[in-house]
Amino acid sequence: MSSPTVSSNGYPFTSVQQTSFKVYSPVRGGTERSLPSAAPPRLPFSRITEDDLAFFRQLLPGRAITDPDMLESCNVDWLKSVRGNSEVLLRPRTTEEVSQILKYCNERNLAVSPQGGNTGLVGGSVPVFDEIVLSTALMNQVLAFDSVSGILTCQAGCVLETLSQYLEERDFIMPLDLGAKGSCHIGGNVATNAGGLRLLRYGSLRGTVLGLEVVLADGRVLNCLATLRKDNTGYDLKQLFIGSEGTLGVITAVSILCPRKPKAVNVAFLGCSSFQNLLETFQCCRGMLGEILSAFEFLDASCMGLLEKHLKITNPITECPFYIVIETAGSNAVHDEEKLHNFLEKVMASSLVTDGTVATEDVKIKALWSLRERVTEALTHDGFTYKYDISLPVEKIYQLVTDMREHLGDRAKNVVGYGHVGDGNLHLNITSPTKDPALLAAIEPYVYEWTSGVRGSVSAEHGLGLKKRNYIYYSKPPEAVALMGNIKAMLDPRGILNPYKTLPDNLNLH
Amino acid sequence: MSSPTVSSNGYPFTSVQQTSFKVYSPVRGGTERSLPSAAPPRLPFSRITEDDLAFFRQLLPGRAITDPDMLESCNVDWLKSVRGNSEVLLRPRTTEEVSQILKYCNERNLAVSPQGGNTGLVGGSVPVFDEIVLSTALMNQVLAFDSVSGILTCQAGCVLETLSQYLEERDFIMPLDLGAKGSCHIGGNVATNAGGLRLLRYGSLRGTVLGLEVVLADGRVLNCLATLRKDNTGYDLKQLFIGSEGTLGVITAVSILCPRKPKAVNVAFLGCSSFQNLLETFQCCRGMLGEILSAFEFLDASCMGLLEKHLKITNPITECPFYIVIETAGSNAVHDEEKLHNFLEKVMASSLVTDGTVATEDVKIKALWSLRERVTEALTHDGFTYKYDISLPVEKIYQLVTDMREHLGDRAKNVVGYGHVGDGNLHLNITSPTKDPALLAAIEPYVYEWTSGVRGSVSAEHGLGLKKRNYIYYSKPPEAVALMGNIKAMLDPRGILNPYKTLPDNLNLH
């Protein structure tokens, strides 16, 4: 019936299918393995029948969608890089409905692709073949908010920005923020263990998510929706579902610890003449801004060039090889400004920073942040983009960009680096006038081997999804991957939940 | 052969065996279940033979201990409340040795009780019958420390205080601190997901532990010892072992993210005339001290009475119903003192706080902290103590003490409450001149039902161990407990790792 196709403008996940590659694990003793290089075959799930549709229509009146136009947007990912061929979109409103759907699909051997805001970057949120799309879009209710503890409980389909607005009115903020906030769902954020711009300050979702409600593959509802900061009664099951990309269960509700809204926010946009100076600025910043530092982001001159060229954004400072966005957030405006002033004085005096500008008003803060946040958008105008989300020891994060640039020579149009210095997270992007298999072959597996060689992670925050599933061995030892397969088999023995995602093909269940 | 015995001065875990109790789960629809009330029977593990001892002596020359005097301290817990009858103590130095031990024990069907500093409070760290004690005491090497990222990697047997000293010399601190720091091992801290005094500021170990090396029951080594802040390549397996109390694997090494040592620390010791005032002080404190608040702890007047009576400690302020310890930690001493001053002025002016004293010097800081930290010690001098570690919505944490006092009337000698207000974590302690089964029957299941009724946790940070294993249903739904059993069966199919602990008797494997 259906087979995976790739849009002409998309990320070449077909290349994963066409390229033969080997996995080297230098840090674990140099074992070498061959992995399946072909497209994942469609597993022998049932095909959807009229009887199935009748069941779904009765369960979800008006919310079992088969209209092709309406299916289009849920079959294609945000990057327009992966296309599935699902024939039905289900829009439950309640946990009970999700439970009924999964119980039915499990019994009928129908595969399911859970979907939040469909903003993922690794093809994890769209069907590969004809999987049923289970959308959380109508599960968008705030269930409770406790203004003493700052604990929010809500359904999985709440949009991150909507939650942020809800909280800001109550003098709190969400502990995470990311570019896709206008579309992404909190359930999807949790399912992919999203990082984003506030991780440096408020930590990962593994610490801030206090409870989850999850529907398992067979329809059982696992209610771990605790609202306690501490609970050591047995194993912490919710951690299994954080970052499992919908392959172990469908998250239906989330409780999360939200910080108070800071009374003062400042943003500085600075320029550095070398990456070494940028790193020394970071060290100095951590010492002098300490507890009020809430973000330390960077972009290189190539990113700035793309912003200027494609988005007509003006560089607010003099041209530099590297730019930094520093944000402070604190409880006392006077203290924060003084700390920031002292810090800036020091890094300017020592020439670590060559130019800079500071914003305290909301409009200017947003303008400075947009320099960092709109790099992704600028890249989409530069041609076909090969995207990598790499976690590295912080002192190595730009070396990969330099090495890649040298390695590719003039085969690439642009090789740019930006990302979260504070988290050791590099976004490496390589553009080309058109899709270019030869260029891809020069990038991969080079980028993964380089990363593995310094014990980095081939996916810092985007997850593995469909596109990166077979690269897991670059960052995880075989014993760990095998254990992941055991967990999958335990929780979803028929493999109906988000098949072809996260786990490598050699572990595919059915 | 051996059977569990209880020291005369100990926590009456025999009462768990003697008392018939039922579990009510009011928050989950009032289902009522009977649980095994008898002592857990010894499971049919093999008995240790001379051949086994010969194997261990060859593997660990001079480190397979059978001397009864040396075995004594590892058979009895810190509270002297639980006693096992292990006949051999193994002291490996390397992960490879741990792997060899477990591989052998798994094949031979010998049960193993992993042991760190043996400072646990729920009988989780000592054998129940004749389990082999596997001590991490000689696995005490720091493996690496990166002063740029603050990431420490060390063997599991490093003592927490030793690590703290190591880091302080390098201008960093451990992200956790607890009363038992002089003895507890970092591996044990991670295995029990220890909370402690810094959780309010630095979050739980689920966020700060970046990697673990674990030996599984069959001897396989799972190397997830990453040193990256972000890594979304597959399921986060290390979370399974954090808080699993040695029942799923033996932690052999840990990598952990350490905060910079704060440049300024202040401690305030304050008195409040009511718990409502204390809560309002907490709210005000969070707003005004914000990002520099590092601890908000409390003790009640009864605790102060015990400190004065048994430890001859002098109350530094006038007598009050409630006392608070507030700690600030920040990067600018002048700013921090100003914030603290403004806060104190406000809470004194509004009469939320009736008296107080502040310390900035190390000696006086330690003296003020000892008022909170030595309550446990004072209690041991007050007679037989029934200890509860309860997680509650913060506004309810003292109501349980009040209700318990009323409920018990003059049957208890003292009913006292202290703990971590910021985390919603109450330490409820009830003393009696001697062990008193009638008193215990009045306390339990009342305390668990009360907790369950407000959706609290019956173990906030101590874990379940041997003593609380059967109370898990008060805080977790049956579906979750069943899934925990599946995970145990997957990772330790013969059930050799720390049997009789954490999971309830109805899930006992063998």
Side-chain angles (χ1 to χ4, degrees):
Chain A
M1 188 164 127
S2 48
S3 74
T5 60
V6 176
S7 77
S8 61
N9 186 31
Y11 184 98
F13 95 87
T14 47
S15 65
V16 174
Q17 303 156 27
Q18 289 153 7
T19 314
S20 174
F21 65 92
K22 289 175 175 174
V23 175
Y24 300 88
S25 307
V27 294
R28 316 194 203 284
T31 56
E32 189 177 308
R33 257 160 292 108
S34 288
L35 278 181
S37 58
R42 183 185 182 283
L43 294 169
F45 296 108
S46 301
R47 310 277 179 183
I48 199 160
T49 64
E50 275 307 316
D51 281 355
D52 298 328
L53 289 176
F55 172 83
F56 292 131
R57 285 182 182 127
Q58 189 175 16
L59 179 66
L60 309 165
R63 292 178 285 128
I65 315 291
T66 51
D67 177 77
D69 290 343
M70 292 183 71
L71 283 167
E72 172 69 12
S73 65
C74 72
N75 266 314
V76 181
D77 72 328
W78 179 80
L79 289 171
K80 301 204 189 311
S81 65
V82 182
R83 175 184 295 278
N85 285 282
S86 180
E87 294 167 1
V88 62
L89 161 67
L90 303 180
R91 292 159 62 96
R93 284 206 186 99
T94 65
T95 302
E96 176 57 25
E97 287 176 349
V98 175
S99 168
Q100 293 288 324
I101 292 166
L102 292 188
K103 184 168 185 289
Y104 182 87
C105 291
N106 194 52
E107 282 166 7
R108 274 278 297 127
N109 187 31
L110 289 163
V112 176
S113 177
Q115 190 175 81
N118 194 12
T119 61
L121 298 173
V122 289
S125 58
V126 288
V128 179
F129 298 97
D130 56 337
E131 300 91 277
I132 291 167
V133 178
L134 193 168
S135 165
T136 53
L138 300 183
M139 301 182 73
N140 56 3
Q141 301 298 304
V142 170
L143 302 174
F145 178 66
D146 179 342
S147 61
V148 176
S149 62
I151 297 168
L152 173 78
T153 307
C154 64
Q155 282 189 299
C158 291
V159 171
L160 180 59
E161 194 167 50
T162 310
L163 293 176
S164 290
Q165 285 160 357
Y166 176 93
L167 288 170
E168 290 222 5
E169 290 164 15
R170 288 155 180 83
D171 226 24
F172 283 80
I173 59 171
M174 287 294 281
L176 79 162
D177 185 28
L178 43 139
K181 60 189 151 204
S183 304
C184 64
H185 294 186
I186 187 67
N189 296 147
V190 174
T192 52
N193 190 27
L197 304 167
R198 290 182 184 154
L199 188 133
L200 180 68
R201 175 67 169 272
Y202 301 112
S204 88
L205 291 173
R206 298 198 176 276
T208 52
V209 171
L210 301 181
L212 290 181
E213 180 188 67
V214 178
V215 180
L216 301 179
D218 61 5
R220 267 178 301 161
V221 178
L222 194 64
N223 182 348
C224 294
L225 204 54
T227 53
L228 302 165
R229 281 200 69 158
K230 286 160 115 174
D231 177 19
N232 276 352
T233 53
Y235 313 149
D236 190 5
L237 299 176
K238 69 173 182 287
Q239 299 289 347
L240 281 174
F241 304 97
I242 299 175
S244 68
E245 304 183 68
T247 61
L248 298 179
V250 176
I251 295 171
T252 48
V254 174
S255 67
I256 188 164
L257 184 65
C258 302
R260 293 206 161 204
K261 186 176 170 180
K263 293 198 186 101
V265 175
N266 298 292
V267 170
F269 189 82
L270 310 176
C272 287
S273 59
S274 71
F275 198 74
Q276 184 52 39
N277 283 355
L278 184 150
L279 285 178
E280 284 175 36
T281 305
F282 177 52
Q283 283 290 79
C284 178
C285 182
R286 288 212 293 192
M288 294 184 73
L289 296 182
E291 63 280 359
I292 65 166
L293 179 64
S294 60
F296 193 106
E297 302 278 315
F298 92 104
L299 50 147
D300 64 14
S302 303
C303 290
M304 182 61 81
L306 298 178
L307 289 169
E308 291 171 324
K309 182 175 173 188
H310 300 298
L311 304 181
K312 310 297 173 209
I313 290 178
T314 308
N315 181 350
I317 63 173
T318 55
E319 236 171 72
C320 294
F322 295 96
Y323 302 93
I324 313 172
V325 182
I326 291 172
E327 188 187 76
T328 68
S331 60
N332 184 312
V334 177
H335 291 171
D336 292 5
E337 278 173 37
E338 195 178 314
K339 285 191 180 84
L340 187 58
H341 176 79
N342 291 344
F343 160 71
L344 291 173
E345 206 162 53
K346 176 148 187 195
V347 290
M348 302 288 272
S350 60
S351 298
L352 288 176
V353 163
T354 50
D355 192 15
T357 178
V358 176
T360 51
E361 300 149 50
D362 215 36
V363 176
K364 203 179 165 204
I365 284 175
K366 284 209 171 83
L368 291 183
W369 260 120
S370 73
L371 292 161
R372 163 67 186 82
E373 290 191 296
R374 295 186 71 190
V375 173
T376 315
E377 185 188 345
L379 279 159
T380 63
H381 297 280
D382 200 50
F384 193 90
T385 309
Y386 298 89
K387 299 182 89 69
Y388 301 91
D389 166 40
I390 308 286
S391 195
L392 296 169
V394 66
E395 62 275 19
K396 297 226 165 65
I397 61 175
Y398 204 70
Q399 197 189 325
L400 175 54
V401 182
T402 314
D403 285 4
M404 182 61 82
R405 227 171 244 155
E406 193 176 326
H407 173 72
L408 295 178
D410 55 11
R411 284 179 287 189
K413 183 176 175 189
N414 275 299
V415 178
V416 313
Y418 61 100
H420 318 285
V421 178
D423 313 329
N425 184 181
L426 170 73
H427 295 308
L428 168 68
N429 282 245
I430 298 155
T431 64
S432 165
T434 55
K435 199 170 131 183
D436 181 349
L439 175 60
L440 181 66
I443 301 171
E444 300 181 10
Y446 179 86
V447 62
Y448 298 123
E449 286 174 1
W450 199 102
T451 301
S452 180
V454 297
R455 306 196 65 158
S457 167
V458 300
S459 178
E461 58 178 12
H462 293 172
L464 296 169
L466 173 68
K467 293 175 181 176
K468 313 234 164 176
R469 71 197 188 285
N470 285 326
Y471 305 130
I472 191 170
Y473 291 104
Y474 283 105
S475 294
K476 291 285 160 70
E479 299 80 13
V481 180
L483 185 49
M484 292 179 202
N486 295 343
I487 292 171
K488 172 73 174 175
M490 179 182 74
L491 284 166
D492 180 18
R494 307 188 78 169
I496 64 160
L497 282 176
N498 223 8
Y500 327 107
K501 313 284 175 65
T502 310
L503 297 180
D505 289 348
N506 63 327
L507 289 186
N508 255 333
L509 279 179
H510 194 71
Chain B
M1 191 163 127
S2 48
S3 74
T5 59
V6 177
S7 78
S8 63
N9 186 31
Y11 183 98
F13 95 87
T14 46
S15 64
V16 175
Q17 304 155 25
Q18 292 155 4
T19 313
S20 174
F21 64 92
K22 287 175 177 175
V23 174
Y24 301 88
S25 307
V27 292
R28 314 192 206 282
T31 55
E32 188 176 307
R33 257 161 292 107
S34 286
L35 279 182
S37 57
R42 183 185 182 284
L43 294 168
F45 295 108
S46 301
R47 309 278 180 183
I48 200 160
T49 65
E50 274 307 316
D51 282 355
D52 298 327
L53 289 176
F55 172 84
F56 292 130
R57 285 182 183 129
Q58 189 173 16
L59 179 68
L60 309 166
R63 293 176 285 128
I65 315 292
T66 51
D67 176 79
D69 290 342
M70 292 183 71
L71 283 167
E72 172 69 12
S73 65
C74 72
N75 267 314
V76 181
D77 72 327
W78 180 79
L79 288 171
K80 301 202 189 314
S81 65
V82 182
R83 174 184 295 279
N85 285 283
S86 180
E87 293 166 4
V88 61
L89 161 68
L90 303 180
R91 291 158 64 96
R93 284 204 186 100
T94 66
T95 302
E96 176 56 27
E97 288 175 349
V98 175
S99 168
Q100 293 287 325
I101 292 166
L102 291 188
K103 183 168 185 291
Y104 183 87
C105 289
N106 195 51
E107 282 166 7
R108 274 279 296 128
N109 187 30
L110 289 162
V112 176
S113 177
Q115 189 174 82
N118 194 12
T119 60
L121 297 173
V122 289
S125 58
V126 289
V128 178
F129 299 96
D130 56 338
E131 298 92 278
I132 291 166
V133 178
L134 194 168
S135 165
T136 53
L138 300 183
M139 302 182 73
N140 56 4
Q141 301 297 305
V142 170
L143 302 174
F145 178 67
D146 180 343
S147 62
V148 176
S149 62
I151 298 168
L152 173 78
T153 307
C154 65
Q155 284 190 297
C158 291
V159 171
L160 180 58
E161 195 166 50
T162 309
L163 292 176
S164 291
Q165 284 160 358
Y166 176 92
L167 288 170
E168 291 223 5
E169 288 164 15
R170 287 154 180 85
D171 226 24
F172 282 80
I173 60 171
M174 287 295 282
L176 78 162
D177 185 28
L178 43 138
K181 60 190 152 203
S183 305
C184 63
H185 295 185
I186 186 66
N189 295 149
V190 174
T192 51
N193 188 27
L197 304 168
R198 290 181 183 155
L199 188 133
L200 180 68
R201 174 67 169 273
Y202 301 112
S204 87
L205 290 173
R206 299 199 175 275
T208 52
V209 171
L210 302 181
L212 290 182
E213 181 188 67
V214 178
V215 180
L216 301 179
D218 61 6
R220 268 178 301 162
V221 178
L222 193 66
N223 181 348
C224 295
L225 204 54
T227 53
L228 303 165
R229 283 199 67 160
K230 286 159 115 174
D231 177 18
N232 276 352
T233 53
Y235 313 149
D236 190 4
L237 298 176
K238 70 173 181 287
Q239 299 290 346
L240 280 173
F241 304 97
I242 300 174
S244 68
E245 304 182 72
T247 61
L248 299 179
V250 175
I251 295 170
T252 48
V254 174
S255 67
I256 187 164
L257 183 65
C258 302
R260 293 206 161 204
K261 186 176 169 180
K263 294 199 186 100
V265 174
N266 298 292
V267 170
F269 190 83
L270 311 175
C272 287
S273 59
S274 71
F275 198 74
Q276 184 53 38
N277 284 354
L278 184 150
L279 285 178
E280 285 176 35
T281 303
F282 177 52
Q283 283 291 78
C284 179
C285 182
R286 289 211 293 191
M288 294 184 74
L289 296 182
E291 62 280 359
I292 65 165
L293 179 63
S294 59
F296 193 106
E297 301 277 315
F298 92 103
L299 49 147
D300 64 13
S302 303
C303 290
M304 182 61 81
L306 297 179
L307 289 169
E308 292 172 324
K309 182 173 173 190
H310 299 299
L311 305 181
K312 311 296 174 210
I313 289 178
T314 308
N315 181 351
I317 63 173
T318 55
E319 234 171 76
C320 295
F322 296 95
Y323 302 92
I324 312 173
V325 182
I326 291 172
E327 187 188 76
T328 69
S331 60
N332 184 311
V334 178
H335 291 173
D336 291 6
E337 277 173 36
E338 195 178 315
K339 285 191 181 85
L340 186 59
H341 175 81
N342 291 344
F343 160 72
L344 291 174
E345 204 163 55
K346 176 148 184 193
V347 291
M348 301 288 274
S350 60
S351 298
L352 287 176
V353 164
T354 49
D355 192 15
T357 177
V358 176
T360 52
E361 301 150 48
D362 215 37
V363 175
K364 203 178 164 203
I365 284 176
K366 285 211 169 83
L368 292 183
W369 259 121
S370 74
L371 290 160
R372 163 66 186 83
E373 291 192 296
R374 295 185 72 191
V375 174
T376 314
E377 185 189 345
L379 280 159
T380 63
H381 296 279
D382 200 50
F384 193 90
T385 308
Y386 297 89
K387 299 183 88 70
Y388 301 92
D389 166 40
I390 308 285
S391 194
L392 296 169
V394 65
E395 62 274 19
K396 297 225 164 64
I397 62 175
Y398 204 70
Q399 196 188 325
L400 174 55
V401 182
T402 315
D403 285 4
M404 183 61 83
R405 225 170 246 153
E406 193 178 324
H407 173 73
L408 294 177
D410 56 10
R411 284 180 287 187
K413 184 176 174 188
N414 275 299
V415 177
V416 314
Y418 60 102
H420 318 286
V421 177
D423 314 328
N425 185 181
L426 170 72
H427 295 309
L428 168 68
N429 282 248
I430 299 155
T431 63
S432 164
T434 56
K435 200 171 129 183
D436 181 350
L439 175 61
L440 180 66
I443 300 171
E444 298 181 12
Y446 178 86
V447 62
Y448 298 123
E449 287 173 1
W450 198 102
T451 301
S452 180
V454 297
R455 306 196 64 158
S457 166
V458 300
S459 178
E461 59 178 10
H462 293 171
L464 295 170
L466 173 68
K467 293 176 182 175
K468 312 234 165 174
R469 71 197 187 284
N470 285 325
Y471 305 130
I472 192 170
Y473 292 103
Y474 284 105
S475 293
K476 290 287 160 69
E479 299 81 12
V481 180
L483 184 49
M484 292 179 202
N486 296 342
I487 292 171
K488 172 73 174 175
M490 179 181 74
L491 284 166
D492 180 18
R494 306 189 80 168
I496 64 161
L497 284 176
N498 223 8
Y500 326 107
K501 314 281 174 67
T502 309
L503 297 180
D505 289 347
N506 62 327
L507 289 185
N508 254 333
L509 280 177
H510 195 71

